[in-house]
Amino acid sequence: MFDSKSRYGAITRLLHRSMAVLILWQFLKLGDRIADGEHWVGRTLVPWHISIGALLLVLVVLRMLWALGQRHRRPPHQGPGAPLVKGGHFLLYAGMLLMPLSGLLLMLGKGYGLKVFGVQLVARSGLETGWLAALGSLHAPLAWLLLALILGHVGAALFHHLVKDDDTLRRMAG
Ligand code: HEM
Ligand code: HEM
């Protein structure tokens, strides 16, 4: 269940795997750019964007608390590349936190209200709040930055597995 020096434990793996799936789902929102979202993906999966985003906000907070508790148990990162790996993981956390937060600011700033899994948490006001909407407009550029980070992260994991042939991928996914 807990992490160890040689591998990540069940809870870390479950959080990593489920959030990876949900985050990739969130990126389907980019599909709105194709035919104004009028396609199967746009009609079935993308409408869940706000609910899944809110769920991801809860999950990332739990994951950060869990990571804090496990920080002395986790597999160590050694060698000259260690600061890069730690910095990269830090930025992935920052992205996972800022995406739902900026999404919320966008919805509230535009006065759209907030409905999560069918529950109206904030009523639609129709009133725009300039500074909230301005912060919220970072949502789309941040999404592109996070996408680039994720591609680098997955590329690094595959590089370790296929080229360096070490245990990096196995200790998280194996
Ligand atoms: C980890 C969580 C999230 C990810 C990865 C994510 C990702 C994205 C992406 C890739 C887009 C398309 C941007 C573009 O077309 O350039 C988008 C748009 C949007 N997202 Fe999110 N999102 C997340 C959470 C949320 C949340 C929680 C909300 C609202 C509460 C939200 C509201 C929106 C809205 C309203 C748009 C359309 C506005 C626009 O295109 O600028 N998102 N999101
Ligand atoms: C198929 C996609 C993915 C693969 C193959 C993958 C692979 C891995 C591997 C092998 C590690 C362990 C690295 C090490 O110990 O040095 C790891 C850790 C990590 N991954 Fe991924 N990953 C994927 C998707 C993602 C996504 C989408 C995110 C978040 C946006 C993410 C965030 C992290 C973080 C923050 C860590 C550090 C451990 C933790 O705090 O949970 N990963 N990943």
Side-chain angles (χ1 to χ4, degrees):
M1 186 166 108
F2 298 107
D3 294 345
S4 73
K5 294 286 173 206
S6 57
R7 61 203 304 271
Y8 291 96
I11 293 187
T12 301
R13 284 157 180 255
L14 181 66
L15 283 166
H16 183 262
R17 194 165 295 183
S18 56
M19 288 181 72
V21 171
L22 294 177
I23 288 169
L24 294 181
W25 182 329
Q26 290 302 79
F27 276 104
L28 296 176
K29 183 80 182 160
L30 286 171
D32 280 1
R33 289 164 175 262
I34 305 165
D36 280 334
E38 289 301 315
H39 41 74
W40 182 81
V41 173
R43 286 187 197 169
T44 52
L45 299 178
V46 176
W48 292 92
H49 191 78
I50 293 181
S51 299
I52 303 276
L55 174 62
L56 276 164
L57 180 58
V58 175
L59 287 175
V60 76
V61 171
L62 293 176
R63 182 164 171 185
M64 287 168 116
L65 293 173
W66 178 253
L68 211 60
Q70 298 294 298
R71 70 188 182 284
H72 298 304
R73 299 169 175 264
R74 296 206 149 171
H77 294 108
Q78 284 152 342
L84 191 69
V85 174
K86 286 183 190 160
H89 288 169
F90 176 83
L91 289 177
L92 284 166
Y93 273 104
M96 287 190 279
L97 188 62
L98 290 176
M99 282 313 296
L101 285 181
S102 59
L104 286 179
L105 295 181
L106 188 62
M107 295 299 286
L108 301 179
K110 294 264 185 194
Y112 294 157
L114 189 67
K115 197 172 184 179
V116 172
F117 294 111
V119 182
Q120 193 81 41
L121 297 179
V122 180
R124 188 186 181 94
S125 71
L127 299 173
E128 181 158 337
T129 314
W131 66 276
L132 279 183
L135 284 176
S137 67
L138 292 174
H139 191 68
L142 281 172
W144 288 102
L145 287 177
L146 181 61
L147 186 60
L149 270 174
I150 292 173
L151 291 178
H153 175 69
V154 174
L158 291 177
F159 177 75
H160 276 278
H161 194 64
L162 301 174
V163 180
K164 291 180 85 178
D165 198 16
D166 63 18
D167 257 359
T168 307
L169 183 64
R170 270 181 287 266
R171 67 193 190 181
M172 177 56 96

